[in-house]
Amino acid sequence: MGDKKEKKVLVYNSEAPIEEQVVSLLKGLKKTITTAESITGGMISAAITSVEGASECFKVGYVSYSNKAKRKLLSVKKELLRKEGAVSSSVAKEMAIGAMMESEADLAVAVTGNAGPTALEDKEIGLVYIAVCAGGKTKVEEFHFGGNRKEVREQACGAALVMVRDYLLDKK
């Protein structure tokens, strides 16, 4: 009859810290990742690269805290930043696409949001957008985290890693 596509069987420890799960899955799938971070300021990159063997799958991390950096490093449109602000679904999506295009990674994760201590661009504290881009598609999710600045940033980092893990598990 026809050739059946064999599903890859991935072995990873679902009880391991999330960054170890992500690196294990990336290595098992022979995929590479890049990050585009604003609110998290490099926390996602640091989490991934803290795992032994991450050099096999981690390409580059972009910390684009300013709008100018988002434009120059990740090709986020100036008009989009002016119209929607840095904390928006559209900007998260463009950050992910830009990072993937610049790095030539298989997958990109981007995070933008407001960690406080005050509202930014009329966006409430704790509002975060996370985008995962791979295979020509980009998924963006909106989050509302509570807590202080440090806690919001940590929750954003964790949620981004969970989104990457879930994408990888879905695509195996």
Side-chain angles (χ1 to χ4, degrees), residues 38-40 65 70 84-92 95 110-131 140-149 151-157 159:
S38 185
I39 185 174
T40 50
Y65 211 65
K70 288 174 183 65
E84 295 192 25
V87 181
S88 68
S89 174
S90 300
V91 168
M95 287 172 65
V111 184
T112 186
N114 181 13
T118 59
L120 174 72
E121 302 170 344
D122 293 325
K123 311 283 173 70
E124 76 268 13
I125 298 166
L127 175 63
V128 175
Y129 293 96
I130 303 173
V140 182
E141 288 189 26
E142 179 179 312
F143 295 86
H144 298 267
F145 298 121
N148 63 32
R149 181 176 177 79
E151 292 165 338
V152 168
R153 294 175 72 232
E154 288 171 347
Q155 290 171 81
C157 177

